[in-house]
Amino acid sequence: MEVSFSKEVSQLRQGAGTTFHGEGILAITKALLQSGVSYVGGYQGAPVSHLLDVMVQAEDYLAELGVHVEACSNEASAAAMLGASIHYPLRGAVTWKSVVGTNVAADALSNLCSPGVTGGALIVVGEDYGEGASVIQERTYAFALKSSMILIDPRPDLEVMVRMVEEGFALSEAANTPAFLQLRIRACHLRGRFECKDNIAPAVSRRHLMADPAAFDYGRLAHPPATFRHEKLKSEARLPAARRYIVEQGLNELFDGRRDDLGIIVQGGVYNALIRALQQFGLADAFGAGELPILNLNVAYPLAPQQIEDFCRSKRAVLVVEEGQPEFIEQEIALILHRAGIATRLHGKDVLPMAGEYSVEAIAGGLAAFVGEHAPELPLAGGRDWLAAIAARREMVSAALGAPLPARPPGFCVGCPERPVFSAIKLAQQTVGKVHYAADIGCHSFATFEPFSFGHTILGYGMSLASRAGVSPMMQRRTLAVMGDGGFWHNGLLTGVESALFNGDDAVLLIMKNGYTSATGTQEIISTPDDEIKAQTADKHQSLVDRNVTIEHTLRGVGVKWLRVVPSYEVARMKATLEEAFSTDFDGLKVIVAEGECQLERQRRVKPWVAGRLKRGERVQRVKYGVDEDVCSGDHACIRLSGCPTLTLKDSSDPLRVDPVATVIDGCVGCGLCGENAHAATLCPSFYRAEVVSNPGVFERLLARLRQGVIGLLQPA
Ligand code: SF4
Ligand code: SF4
């Protein structure tokens, strides 16, 4: 990737006596090094991509410490990497986006949790839940429960988050159990500070190698009959050890309140939103001190029953603030209280929403009901007014618009190489008819939005081809599966291509070969063009990745017989290739590789290159597209076929035309799609291509003067 994290890498070097200032996810990264981690791995995904990106770029510093970093091919390979901690006293950390990444990793995680670990094993998951999330809405908690893993859910405060990383390793070792450390989107991007410690060079590392492998121990294999003993160990030894450590080390926090008859138990990650909600009612100050005692669960699983009993025993009623469904924590607390014969009234999902992010507003609604029932003497009017004002504002906006606020979905970058392919699919379907379209995870999923509205299903990352296996045999027309090169390497090759070939499926697969896992932050993959190719194509109108044929070799190697590679921006050629794939007599898997470098990554490389040439007074030629408004017919077919944000509308300067005309605004990167679409769809001839030359040569200047002179002569005075 072209983004530099040199500042972040320098922050990782900070030692004792200095103060770290920055983002939550970088603080976690630093905490891993302070904990003496020996190896780090993972698969990128928001909101934790930054951890791995920074670690990869900190290669030189990590080599000094002896820490190994591995950019894994998917979450399953990252989880399997933690196998190093089963026998050896190695602290290891991996990271991915949850819950989807945890789904992919589930097999390896189960097999890791069964024998347990010797060295601390920490899985930093981005809990992509709630507003702004980009995946299915489920909880990592379920995985912790089913595999008896520890789940750390730290209070969003850098000091606490860093401590929970350090304690997380120790807890994992004390309980011989891997631990999740879950971070919501806001916690990852929270800014703050903490006092640094020196990083710890691990005792066993790339610099200090182990002489011999561990002795053979059948009991450490996730294999029967050892697995039967493992199951008993989880409940009889490991979870009790974890509970002891949680209580003895004070990992959960007790915040006293002015009264003792009511209380709140909250997941650590939701604590800040709870305090803000309490503030609306005047029940807490900005630092959390207030009316009601709070038990903050920095470790959300396992719960320590004695701690829960001690907190609840003296209280008439307790509110459990637990985000997401189902109410795992609330149910367990109810069971703990029932078994202990404690009659405290328990509230949670009866007054709070069952599903969705626990925003301040959502929590405030639950607080109003809870406090209103059990302490009506407290002054709640301020909070209720605040809630009413929000509801009124929402209603006012809806009334003014006449409808709910329109959604603002994300879209392709300007000049994205994937957009032309969807234009071609749109055009090809005019010929071959509508096809079943199996979509996938990646930037190409933006084609599910207008103006394309493509996609019948999304079953997971790299799963598109596999997801049409039951549809193809039932459909007269061939099906289309679309995936990116990131998805292809993550899962698509095995779950889709191999299966389709093995079963002789007749289907069409389109792979977007843009060179990166773009949607997760343009991380590099095995088929990313090397620096030599990038340098050669820096000045090309459209960067090429055709010399990097890893995907094509792989496809041919596993037996794909029908394979076409088409430059993404060549709409007419792509349309013809799609039509061929849908109509050929060839019975089997047909793969089209759409080749065009991710424009975001390309612009990151090209912009400084262009700026450098301009600064040195060297010639630079850029391409821009435009619309001749006198020719524009005003039907806007070009916009419906492209969706590029820089191809938009403006009022016509002709007073006799009332309809707006198409226009290309600043920001056009000259990708050429406008021209390609105009030709492929036989649109009106209003588009023109302009070459903007900076620092032209003598001949070009003379030619320009000559042209201007001729134009001047032809124009009336
Ligand atoms: S990041 Fe790259 S692939 Fe994704 S939308 Fe932008 S240009 Fe397209
Ligand atoms: S040429 Fe057209 S599609 Fe490409 S960036 Fe410019 S306006 Fe957008």
Side-chain angles (χ1 to χ4, degrees):
M1 60 161 55
E2 304 291 337
V3 179
S4 168
F5 297 112
S6 54
K7 179 169 168 264
E8 287 87 343
V9 171
S10 70
Q11 284 179 283
L12 293 185
R13 289 179 176 268
Q14 283 184 235
T18 65
T19 305
F20 172 100
H21 295 267
E23 264 198 332
I25 189 62
L26 191 62
I28 296 285
T29 313
K30 166 80 173 106
L32 295 178
L33 299 180
Q34 292 186 177
S35 305
V37 73
S38 293
Y39 64 94
V40 178
Y43 191 83
Q44 62 278 352
V48 288
S49 290
H50 208 47
L51 192 160
L52 201 61
D53 291 344
V54 172
M55 282 289 196
V56 168
Q57 289 198 13
E59 195 181 14
D60 292 344
Y61 176 52
L62 297 182
E64 282 174 34
L65 292 172
V67 177
H68 173 67
V69 178
E70 184 126 341
C72 301
S73 58
N74 59 29
E75 297 83 355
S77 76
M81 195 181 174
L82 291 172
S85 297
I86 293 177
H87 284 282
Y88 304 107
L90 300 170
R91 287 189 166 183
V94 296
T95 185
W96 59 67
K97 176 194 195 84
S98 203
V99 72
V100 285
T102 311
N103 290 341
V104 177
D107 192 18
L109 281 182
S110 289
N111 284 281
L112 176 74
C113 292
S114 190
V117 293
T118 303
L122 199 66
I123 302 148
V124 180
V125 292
E127 190 76 349
D128 198 17
Y129 186 88
E131 293 166 18
S134 59
V135 296
I136 43 177
Q137 297 298 276
E138 292 180 4
R139 301 176 64 188
T140 307
Y141 203 98
F143 283 89
L145 270 182
K146 83 167 179 62
S147 295
S148 302
M149 288 177 71
I150 294 158
L151 180 74
I152 301 170
D153 187 2
R155 177 160 65 88
D157 173 293
L158 261 50
E159 294 276 2
V160 177
M161 288 158 69
V162 166
R163 177 174 174 236
M164 286 304 136
V165 171
E166 295 166 346
E167 292 284 12
F169 281 111
L171 174 58
S172 171
E173 285 160 4
N176 303 121
T177 302
F180 282 120
L181 183 130
Q182 76 169 27
L183 299 169
R184 289 169 183 75
I185 301 169
R186 288 177 212 272
C188 284
H189 302 308
L190 171 94
R191 297 190 74 84
R193 64 182 184 181
F194 70 93
E195 298 308 314
C196 295
K197 293 180 191 158
D198 288 335
N199 294 332
I200 298 174
V204 179
S205 70
R206 298 189 71 155
R207 293 171 67 93
H208 302 286
L209 304 178
M210 294 181 281
D212 294 303
F216 178 75
D217 179 358
Y218 196 87
R220 287 300 184 114
L221 286 168
H223 201 248
T227 44
F228 301 113
R229 182 165 174 271
H230 295 162
E231 193 193 8
K232 284 197 165 56
L233 279 175
K234 283 180 180 176
S235 56
E236 292 172 5
R238 295 190 203 145
L239 287 178
R243 292 185 181 112
R244 271 196 307 279
Y245 189 94
I246 291 163
V247 174
E248 285 167 12
Q249 301 304 317
L251 300 192
N252 295 329
E253 299 167 293
L254 181 62
F255 299 100
D256 288 331
R258 280 189 284 276
R259 56 193 297 162
D260 195 36
D261 59 333
L262 300 176
I264 299 174
I265 300 178
V266 62
Q267 283 171 283
V270 185
Y271 176 87
N272 288 3
L274 169 66
I275 295 304
R276 194 78 185 103
L278 284 166
Q279 276 182 272
Q280 306 308 320
F281 295 94
L283 298 175
D285 66 19
F287 302 99
E291 207 66 32
L292 306 176
I294 298 172
L295 176 60
N296 179 60
L297 301 175
N298 286 318
V299 185
Y301 185 83
L303 299 180
Q306 193 60 52
Q307 190 172 53
I308 301 291
E309 290 170 26
D310 292 347
F311 181 76
C312 295
R313 187 167 282 114
S314 63
K315 297 181 176 47
R316 287 189 291 121
V318 166
L319 175 69
V320 179
V321 182
E322 176 187 7
E323 187 179 62
Q325 62 178 334
E327 62 274 64
F328 293 115
I329 298 175
E330 190 182 335
Q331 288 184 26
E332 192 175 346
I333 292 175
L335 187 64
I336 291 169
L337 298 186
H338 176 72
R339 282 188 177 150
I342 296 172
T344 303
R345 281 280 306 280
L346 197 64
H347 293 275
K349 297 291 185 187
D350 56 339
V351 293
L352 286 158
M354 174 58 86
E357 180 171 332
Y358 274 10
S359 60
V360 175
E361 185 189 354
I363 297 176
L367 278 175
F370 173 72
V371 180
E373 180 178 343
H374 294 284
E377 70 280 9
L378 288 174
L380 298 178
R384 287 193 170 128
D385 289 350
W386 179 78
L387 282 169
I390 294 174
R393 214 159 38 239
R394 204 171 274 134
E395 252 177 50
M396 190 187 75
V397 171
S398 286
L401 286 170
L405 276 173
R408 296 176 62 198
F412 296 106
C413 301
V414 173
C416 173
E418 300 185 355
R419 185 181 282 112
V421 181
F422 294 110
S423 301
I425 295 173
K426 211 168 188 180
L427 293 171
Q429 289 199 78
Q430 288 179 345
T431 316
V432 299
K434 293 276 183 198
V435 297
H436 176 89
Y437 181 121
D440 212 294
I441 304 288
C443 290
H444 38 85
S445 67
F446 297 150
T448 55
F449 300 122
E450 294 284 0
F452 302 114
S453 302
F454 287 148
H456 290 92
T457 50
I458 296 180
L459 265 290
Y461 194 21
M463 297 290 191
S464 59
L465 186 59
S467 72
R468 58 77 251 165
V471 179
S472 296
M474 313 291 160
M475 190 69 77
Q476 286 183 358
R477 219 167 276 146
R478 283 175 183 146
T479 56
L480 174 66
V482 174
M483 71 175 72
D485 40 8
F488 175 79
W489 293 119
H490 178 271
N491 221 336
L493 173 61
L494 295 183
T495 56
V497 175
E498 187 195 333
S499 185
L501 290 173
F502 182 68
N503 290 288
D505 290 0
D506 186 4
V508 180
L509 169 65
L510 199 154
I511 300 174
M512 300 287 187
K513 183 182 169 190
N514 65 32
Y516 310 84
T517 56
S518 300
T520 58
T522 62
Q523 288 82 8
E524 299 195 346
I525 46 180
I526 194 168
S527 50
T528 296
D530 57 37
D531 290 344
E532 193 189 336
I533 296 178
K534 287 181 188 171
Q536 286 172 8
T537 57
D539 60 342
K540 298 284 190 301
H541 165 47
Q542 288 155 13
S543 168
L544 301 174
V545 287
D546 59 347
R547 268 181 44 191
N548 201 319
V549 287
T550 323
I551 292 176
E552 294 86 323
H553 281 326
T554 305
L555 289 168
R556 289 207 175 90
V558 292
V560 172
K561 299 280 185 298
W562 195 103
L563 176 64
R564 306 281 186 273
V565 181
V566 183
S568 306
Y569 292 97
E570 295 186 16
V571 176
R573 200 170 140 198
M574 181 63 75
K575 172 180 174 279
T577 309
L578 282 161
E579 288 167 353
E580 185 197 348
F582 280 104
S583 58
T584 177
D585 290 338
F586 179 85
D587 183 9
L589 181 63
K590 288 154 279 287
V591 183
I592 302 170
V593 175
E595 187 175 63
E597 188 184 8
C598 166
Q599 191 69 226
L600 178 65
E601 194 68 350
R602 176 173 154 68
Q603 288 300 320
R604 283 173 178 159
R605 185 171 69 254
V606 168
K607 275 185 180 162
W609 181 82
V610 168
R613 285 189 71 96
L614 290 175
K615 201 170 165 194
R616 292 192 296 276
E618 293 169 5
R619 182 184 185 278
V620 173
Q621 180 178 313
R622 280 169 292 181
V623 173
K624 294 275 175 192
Y625 278 73
V627 176
D628 183 342
E629 69 165 277
D630 292 338
V631 185
C632 173
S633 65
D635 73 346
H636 313 146
C638 53
I639 292 174
R640 286 193 294 277
L641 203 50
S642 153
C644 175
T646 56
L647 174 59
T648 182
L649 295 173
K650 70 170 186 180
D651 288 335
S652 171
S653 52
D654 181 349
L656 298 179
R657 293 179 68 174
V658 288
D659 289 333
V661 291
T663 184
V664 175
I665 57 174
D666 273 356
C668 164
V669 295
C671 76
L673 174 59
C674 286
E676 288 287 331
N677 274 349
H679 286 296
T682 332
L683 302 179
C684 70
S686 54
F687 283 94
Y688 62 83
R689 178 182 190 271
E691 284 162 9
V692 184
V693 179
S694 305
N695 302 325
V698 177
F699 177 71
E700 281 175 314
R701 284 175 201 274
L702 284 174
L703 193 61
R705 269 198 213 128
L706 183 64
R707 282 173 175 158
Q708 275 165 0
V710 172
I711 291 168
L713 284 175
L714 293 175
Q715 281 182 335

